[in-house]
């Protein structure tokens, strides 16, 4: 999962690729830590292991939603930049 994510982020970054690459790695590690913390809280509050799978699926859907919103925003910004070159810096 990490190589395609890194490749996509570098594609979006353009000239700021070093900074964005570091932020992508930090975000991935932050997601791992957040998922582990939420999983630990779920196991602490309920003895039912199937709930853990449901919470994991919900967190995956949340991540997918964030990706889709970011992807849509990037394409909307590109369309605006093609119409008005100054708008891409706003």
């Amino acid at each position: 999962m990490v190589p395609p994510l890194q490749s996509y982020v570098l594609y979006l970054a353009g000239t700021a690729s070093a900074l964005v690459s570091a932020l992508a790695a930090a975000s991935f590690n932050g997601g791992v830590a957040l998922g582990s913390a939420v999983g630990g809280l779920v196991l602490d509050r309920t003895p039912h292991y199937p709930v853990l799978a449901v919470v994991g699926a919900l967190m995956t859907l949340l991540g997918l939603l964030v990706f889709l919103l970011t992807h849509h925003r990037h394409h909307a910004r590109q369309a605006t930049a093609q119409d008005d070159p100054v708008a891409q810096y706003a």
Side-chain angles (χ1 to χ4, degrees):
M1 187 67 196
V2 176
L5 170 69
Q6 196 77 6
S7 177
Y8 180 70
V9 168
L10 290 175
Y11 167 74
L12 294 178
T15 59
S17 62
L19 175 64
V20 172
S21 179
L23 288 174
S27 297
F28 183 77
N29 288 326
V32 170
L34 180 65
S36 298
V38 170
L41 286 174
V42 168
L43 289 177
D44 188 44
R45 297 189 189 270
T46 181
H48 306 292
Y49 283 104
V51 174
L52 188 61
V54 172
V55 171
L58 290 174
M59 290 194 67
T60 301
L61 287 175
L62 179 64
L64 179 61
L65 180 65
V66 168
F67 167 76
L68 291 174
L69 289 172
T70 304
H71 186 71
H72 175 72
R73 184 176 178 200
H74 173 71
H75 283 290
R77 185 173 275 187
Q78 271 188 332
T80 303
Q82 288 176 354
D83 294 339
D84 182 12
V86 177
Q88 69 182 345
Y89 300 108

